Amino acid sequence: MGKLTRRTFLISSAVLGGGALFGFIATPNRLGIRAGATQENTWLATWVSIASDNTVTIWVPHAEMGQGIQTALPMMLAEELEADWSLVRMQQAPAEAIYAVGDVIRGFIAGGLEVPGVFRRHVDYSFYKLASMMNMQITGGSASVRFTGQNGMRRAGAAAKAMLIQAAADKWQVAIQECEAKLSHVYHYASGRSAGYGELAGEASRLRLPPHPLLKSRQDYKICGKSIPRFDTPAKVVGKQDYGIDIRLPGMKYAAIRHSPVFGGSAVSFDDTGVKGKKGFEAVILLPDSVVLIADNYWRAKTAIDELLIEFSDGEHGDFNSEKLFAELEQLLTTAEPELDFEQGEADRELALLTVDGVISADYRVPFLAHATMEPMNCTAYYHEGQLEIWTGTQDLLGARALAAEIAELDMEQVVAHPVQLGGGFGRRFPSTGNYIESAVRVAMQVPYPVQLIWSREEDIQHDYYRPAVQSRFKATLNAKGQPQVWHNIYSDIGVNDDTAAAFHPYTVPHQRIGRVKHETPVPVSYWRSVEHSFQGFFVESFIDELAYNAGIDPFLYRLGLLDQAPRFAAVLELAAKNIGWGRMLEEGRGLGIAIKESFGTIVAQAVEVSVPKQDSVKIHRVVAVVDPGEVINPEIARAQIEGGIIYGLSAALFGKITLEQGRVLQSNFPDYRMVNLAYAPQIEVTFIESGEDIGGMGEVSVPPVAPAVCNAIFAANGRRIRQLPVIDQNLTIVA
Amino acid sequence: MFKLSINGEQTTVDVEPDMPLLWVLRDELGLTGTKYGCGIAACGACTVQVNGVATRSCVLPVAAVDGAEIMTIEGLGKNGLHPVQQAWIEYQVPQCGYCQSGMLMSVVSLLDNNPEPGNEELNRAVSNICRCGTFQRVRAAIDSLKQV
């Protein structure tokens, strides 16, 4: 990426309509990246325009998929800018390299933090260098507020404010210290003068960017920390919010797809004689792994493809099945030499000193999971006059554009990717998992009209990139006080375990050995809300619970006693216990469970109350969550994320399972890939602790503690330890 | 040819009798507020009102609603927001929002017919799936309407 200036942006874009546009340039130095960091690529972090009527428009480079980011990020900029919130507008940034979110990963590196997996492939650690930043506009890794917000939005707002004040001071020939910015105006109280930002913006934009704009203190916040309503709610309650699937273009046709049922299989041939004459039929197109049927309406395409005779080849993996995989993982955990994530003390030697009787051991297991976003995968594509346009919900619009260009064998400049809202993301909609974009582009390159390719729910569930199936093995020993002396944990890794610290726990244990054994499968796997934390939370927090019961100590007090080195965790855990009323007398058949997990820089504890009306049934009554993200930008948006993550994690814990037999996914739609709905949704209570530590993520962090807290509560209620998910597979019925 | 009354407006469509109402609305009439989620009446994203009753339109043949009064999310609040929509804004219910058209149509039908539904009736009537997990707010918003 070459040096971009405001001028090149203005030339290449027509977004500016009066007023002034500020493009903020940040250099690696300013983030304090250690010596050796590349100096050559200066990057543009944030754009904001101020119109003559004082309207402030903030370009947000991240996708809205329900997490509220397109409200929270503008709040951070507007706060520093001292903008009048009623005049702030949000605009999703287009898929242009100038909106690439390189600052997001730079933020991780500068902070010495682990870069989330979704960004990993863009970073070459040996030189702290960013690769292919041109094509990255990722929304993921619970990173938007943490890095685009903190490094981009805040600093851009502060810089723009300083420039506006400077412009006013110059105009009035007064000292900047005598001027104050407030509600989109600059005031000079001594002379009684004031000017709106719109009036000052033109002059301000010609000033030098202040190299170190001063950020506000939290006690001075007027916008951040408040539950400002989301920008997108009004349209979403009247059916006016368009998603990718709602794009309508003149002459557009609709397409249905049928994939080879076996991963790695191919589509060989089709016979369309039976469907050719059907009303609205347009064409059938053979793709490498699938067949697409185009008609003038989606239902016609879908019903016709259901009748189409297709020959698939299974390829090499027609005999793959989940049971076989778990047998292989079992074998590997026993025999393979693990790659270590962490070692402390001498866990192996300590274990060898004991007989088998002295060792507490347990294996846990989770299945593959699909994302099942409410809006099924879809992509609209139109190739005309040498240009390809796509409309699709994606967590990386720029990456989607690059993917489309690669598939179509076009230059990036020949591809336009239009931003649209996502009907759910959860990690499903990255370019690296962009099979729905690929097939739409391949089809569009062969037909003269725009095509909207929609996956049926069955295709969506059976051709996902899944949360991996994982098995994890623990061994521990306890000292005379019941505290763990050895923590030995090896888990299977069939992919997507980028965060090598995900299996870590905050407890004091002298001898620890944590590692993974690698294995390959033909099942496509990828990021799923909270990624590896989704299963490591279940494993680690179930096993510590087992140790507590083995030691004969209350599981909350047991954990607390091991958190002497982790006061932030202890505070979160204690409040969760207090909020659920830990230790109170419970009715017969009720149980409380607790779990704590840090992910994406945020610590979350959950305490759950369940009842077991009968030995073989469970009702989830209440989930109490305590969350320490350091700082909360918009409490209601944050609370909604925590509530939503709990339901997402609960659906998986209770019901979620993707099973393969003969290379095929058995589940196909919501009746056999069940979800928590209103009847099963427990009461949720969320409390935030704003510790003032570095700001953490919000979108994923409440998923990991749900499964262990629920299973620990079930154990407390009926003595049944659940080591394999989902709960319904353990001869337990979930009651509403 | 089928005669449909949609959001108070009369229209005719010339489609196969077994085409589900969902696709007539979305692909023939351009009313995209009603969503496709599962195609088998399992998730509720496609819920509309047929003669005042919440109905899942993805398995409802157009022939079955010939002459019926149909209301979609576009019709709800056409003349000012319905109290349920107002409560949805007040409680900031939607996240991604994709399921909310159907969720709202289910709730409106329930409350129009019974302003004080019991818990079981509520759970039965509003069985919609929301992957963002907005149920805490759905319940709070409904409770606020019951107290009126």
Side-chain angles (χ1 to χ4, degrees):
Chain A
M1 172 173 184
K3 219 171 199 177
L4 279 162
T5 63
R6 189 187 312 141
R7 183 163 172 76
T8 56
F9 178 74
L10 287 174
I11 290 165
S12 66
S13 165
V15 290
L16 188 59
L21 181 83
F22 296 79
F24 290 94
I25 301 166
T27 64
N29 264 347
R30 221 188 287 167
L31 274 176
I33 290 180
R34 281 158 276 185
T38 172
Q39 297 292 315
E40 68 214 16
N41 37 3
T42 299
W43 81 99
L44 292 163
T46 310
W47 295 91
V48 52
S49 76
I50 299 172
S52 48
D53 64 356
N54 289 344
T55 307
V56 171
T57 301
I58 296 162
W59 272 265
V60 175
H62 293 293
E64 182 61 73
M65 46 193 180
Q67 80 282 38
I69 201 61
Q70 293 187 353
T71 304
L73 287 181
M75 285 171 68
M76 297 175 88
L77 193 146
E79 178 70 66
E80 297 291 345
L81 182 61
E82 295 293 351
D84 177 346
W85 181 256
S86 66
L87 298 175
V88 172
R89 307 285 177 265
M90 188 285 302
Q91 187 83 42
Q92 184 172 345
E96 298 291 341
I98 50 167
Y99 296 105
V101 289
D103 58 322
V104 173
I105 35 183
R106 283 180 200 277
F108 280 94
I109 295 168
L113 299 172
E114 190 77 0
V115 174
V118 291
F119 302 115
R120 194 66 49 88
R121 69 192 166 95
H122 303 280
V123 184
D124 175 347
Y125 281 98
S126 54
F127 304 102
Y128 294 108
K129 206 166 154 182
L130 304 181
S132 43
M133 210 177 80
M134 288 288 280
N135 298 335
M136 192 186 64
Q137 209 173 39
I138 286 173
T139 305
S142 293
S144 306
V145 162
R146 285 195 282 171
F147 295 104
T148 303
Q150 292 290 77
N151 295 331
M153 293 290 165
R154 275 203 201 287
R155 293 191 309 163
K161 181 181 75 176
M163 292 157 79
L164 289 157
I165 290 175
Q166 180 75 58
D170 290 351
K171 185 178 172 184
W172 300 328
Q173 298 290 301
V174 298
I176 51 169
Q177 292 80 359
E178 293 169 22
C179 299
E180 188 185 333
K182 208 165 75 179
L183 289 171
S184 296
H185 285 75
V186 179
Y187 294 89
H188 184 253
Y189 296 117
S191 63
R193 279 177 290 195
S194 72
Y197 281 180
E199 192 185 319
L200 299 167
E203 277 307 312
S205 69
R206 281 183 277 277
L207 296 170
R208 246 181 99 80
L209 278 165
H212 298 288
L214 197 64
L215 300 185
K216 290 172 74 171
S217 304
R218 280 176 72 192
Q219 65 263 27
D220 298 327
Y221 284 177
K222 302 184 183 81
I223 296 169
C224 290
K226 290 205 169 70
S227 291
I228 288 176
R230 297 169 58 129
F231 282 124
D232 52 354
T233 308
K236 286 177 176 175
V237 302
V238 295
K240 292 219 168 85
Q241 175 68 61
D242 281 343
Y243 302 83
I245 204 168
D246 300 323
I247 295 299
R248 294 292 179 267
L249 303 169
M252 189 181 89
K253 310 289 183 195
Y254 298 82
I257 190 164
R258 176 65 58 82
H259 290 86
S260 161
V262 175
F263 298 115
S266 54
V268 178
S269 64
F270 60 84
D271 175 0
D272 62 0
T273 43
V275 299
K276 256 182 165 162
K278 288 178 79 103
K279 189 171 181 181
F281 175 91
E282 287 285 339
V284 182
I285 292 176
L286 189 69
L287 298 180
D289 67 342
S290 56
V291 174
V292 170
L293 190 148
I294 307 171
D296 64 349
N297 152 318
Y298 179 66
W299 178 77
R300 289 184 182 130
K302 172 72 170 66
T303 47
I305 205 166
D306 287 347
E307 291 171 28
L308 187 69
L309 301 172
I310 308 171
E311 191 196 340
F312 291 109
S313 161
D314 284 357
E316 294 167 26
H317 305 299
D319 61 346
F320 183 86
N321 70 68
S322 295
E323 275 313 305
K324 199 174 131 221
L325 171 66
F326 279 115
E328 287 166 3
L329 297 182
E330 174 86 35
Q331 182 67 24
L332 277 170
L333 288 171
T334 310
T335 58
E337 186 58 31
E339 280 177 40
L340 291 189
D341 295 342
F342 181 65
E343 188 159 35
Q344 174 181 297
E346 293 184 79
D348 278 351
R349 192 180 63 91
E350 290 286 316
L351 281 176
L353 292 175
L354 293 164
T355 61
V356 176
D357 292 347
V359 179
I360 300 159
S361 59
D363 272 28
Y364 301 89
R365 179 193 280 192
V366 295
F368 291 107
L369 292 173
H371 299 78
T373 60
M374 284 312 295
E375 178 195 16
M377 295 303 105
N378 66 84
C379 177
T380 305
Y382 184 25
Y383 181 64
H384 56 110
E385 290 131 25
Q387 190 193 43
L388 175 68
E389 291 185 81
I390 63 166
W391 293 256
T392 194
T394 169
Q395 292 176 244
D396 178 359
L397 191 62
L398 193 52
R401 182 179 158 204
L403 173 69
E406 186 190 324
I407 298 297
E409 296 178 19
L410 297 171
D411 293 333
M412 274 289 269
E413 288 63 41
Q414 292 170 277
V415 180
V416 178
H418 299 275
V420 292
Q421 282 252 336
L422 283 67
F426 315 123
R428 173 65 183 90
R429 290 178 150 114
F430 285 109
S432 56
T433 58
N435 48 2
Y436 61 101
I437 299 172
E438 273 188 54
S439 40
V441 167
R442 286 188 203 282
V443 169
M445 297 307 287
Q446 297 185 42
V447 296
Y449 40 77
V451 180
Q452 181 166 98
L453 175 62
I454 302 173
W455 291 29
S456 66
R457 176 59 65 193
E458 290 78 8
E459 292 293 317
D460 184 80
I461 286 185
Q462 299 190 330
H463 296 280
D464 200 342
Y465 285 76
Y466 301 90
R467 199 287 303 272
V470 190
Q471 184 158 339
S472 187
R473 175 163 298 168
F474 289 83
K475 290 176 190 156
T477 65
L478 307 183
N479 65 16
K481 290 183 192 159
Q483 296 161 328
Q485 282 300 289
V486 175
W487 179 281
H488 190 282
N489 173 209
I490 307 297
Y491 58 91
S492 66
D493 176 1
I494 61 166
V496 202
N497 282 292
D498 300 325
D499 183 351
T500 52
F504 294 7
H505 58 75
Y507 307 114
T508 301
V509 184
H511 303 282
Q512 296 192 44
R513 189 174 165 88
I514 299 170
R516 84 265 310 275
V517 288
K518 292 207 170 187
H519 190 48
E520 304 243 317
T521 76
V523 182
V525 294
S526 188
Y527 310 113
W528 185 96
R529 196 173 188 174
S530 81
V531 200
E532 54 274 81
H533 296 279
S534 72
F535 46 84
Q536 298 294 4
F538 171 64
F539 301 153
V540 167
E541 283 296 302
S542 294
F543 190 60
I544 194 78
D545 215 68
E546 295 210 39
L547 295 187
Y549 280 97
N550 262 283
I553 300 173
D554 173 277
F556 156 61
L557 295 174
Y558 188 77
R559 286 176 174 82
L560 195 61
L562 299 172
L563 289 174
D564 50 324
Q565 304 294 315
R568 237 183 120 189
F569 283 82
V572 171
L573 189 76
E574 278 193 282
L575 190 55
K578 178 171 173 272
N579 288 355
I580 200 133
W582 194 273
R584 71 190 142 92
M585 285 295 290
L586 294 171
E587 294 164 47
E588 180 66 26
R590 291 224 170 195
L592 300 182
I594 199 162
I596 188 165
K597 185 82 178 87
E598 182 272 336
S599 59
F600 309 97
T602 295
I603 301 168
V604 183
Q606 287 170 28
V608 172
E609 182 164 353
V610 305
S611 64
V612 285
K614 289 187 229 137
Q615 264 303 304
D616 59 353
S617 65
V618 176
K619 178 176 169 62
I620 317 297
H621 292 270
R622 198 173 155 218
V623 179
V624 164
V626 175
V627 182
D628 177 3
E631 177 185 342
V632 177
I633 301 302
N634 183 315
E636 277 308 302
I637 291 177
R639 192 180 301 277
Q641 282 307 290
I642 298 302
E643 291 165 359
I646 287 170
I647 297 295
Y648 201 83
L650 191 60
S651 287
L654 298 178
F655 307 121
K657 178 177 63 166
I658 290 293
T659 320
L660 282 100
E661 263 181 32
Q662 294 186 307
R664 291 153 168 83
V665 172
L666 294 185
Q667 292 76 15
S668 65
N669 205 321
F670 293 120
D672 56 12
Y673 193 61
R674 274 178 75 187
M675 299 297 155
V676 167
N677 64 9
L678 192 65
Y680 295 92
Q683 183 188 330
I684 299 173
E685 297 150 44
V686 181
T687 308
F688 290 105
I689 294 177
E690 295 192 74
S691 61
E693 297 291 330
D694 284 348
I695 195 162
M698 199 61 75
E700 306 175 78
V701 299
S702 66
V703 176
V706 185
V710 164
C711 293
N712 293 341
I714 292 172
F715 181 80
N718 70 4
R720 288 172 64 172
R721 176 59 64 186
I722 293 171
R723 296 196 180 111
Q724 294 184 12
L725 296 180
V727 172
I728 47 162
D729 275 6
Q730 305 304 310
N731 298 314
L732 284 166
T733 310
I734 314 300
V735 294
Chain B
M1 295 280 268
F2 299 97
K3 283 188 189 159
L4 304 176
S5 168
I6 298 171
N7 302 327
E9 285 175 32
Q10 308 301 315
T11 184
T12 55
V13 288
D14 182 13
V15 297
E16 300 86 319
D18 55 343
M19 184 180 289
L21 177 62
L22 171 66
W23 300 108
V24 174
L25 293 171
R26 288 184 56 82
D27 293 359
E28 300 294 316
L29 301 173
L31 292 171
T32 55
T34 306
K35 303 301 188 201
Y36 166 60
C38 69
I40 56 168
C43 78
C46 66
T47 306
V48 299
Q49 279 189 18
V50 178
N51 297 328
V53 178
T55 308
R56 295 187 174 181
S57 65
C58 71
V59 292
L60 182 67
V62 64
V65 291
D66 193 19
E69 290 285 334
I70 294 154
M71 184 163 72
T72 70
I73 189 70
E74 289 91 347
L76 184 72
K78 204 163 73 171
N79 308 310
L81 290 180
H82 187 281
V84 174
Q85 289 170 308
Q86 288 172 2
W88 247 235
I89 293 174
E90 190 187 338
Y91 285 83
Q92 294 280 294
V93 174
Q95 289 186 33
C96 90
Y98 190 82
C99 74
Q100 296 295 339
S101 298
M103 189 80 80
L104 281 158
M105 298 310 286
S106 300
V107 172
V108 166
S109 295
L110 170 71
L111 297 183
D112 282 354
N113 293 310
N114 178 4
E116 295 281 335
N119 213 23
E120 274 183 32
E121 192 184 353
L122 177 60
N123 289 345
R124 208 172 28 248
V126 186
S127 61
N128 304 52
I129 293 173
C130 167
R131 287 293 277 149
C132 297
T134 58
F135 304 114
Q136 181 80 10
R137 280 150 203 276
V138 166
R139 205 177 278 281
I142 293 170
D143 285 348
S144 77
L145 293 163
K146 288 200 298 196
Q147 283 154 17
V148 170

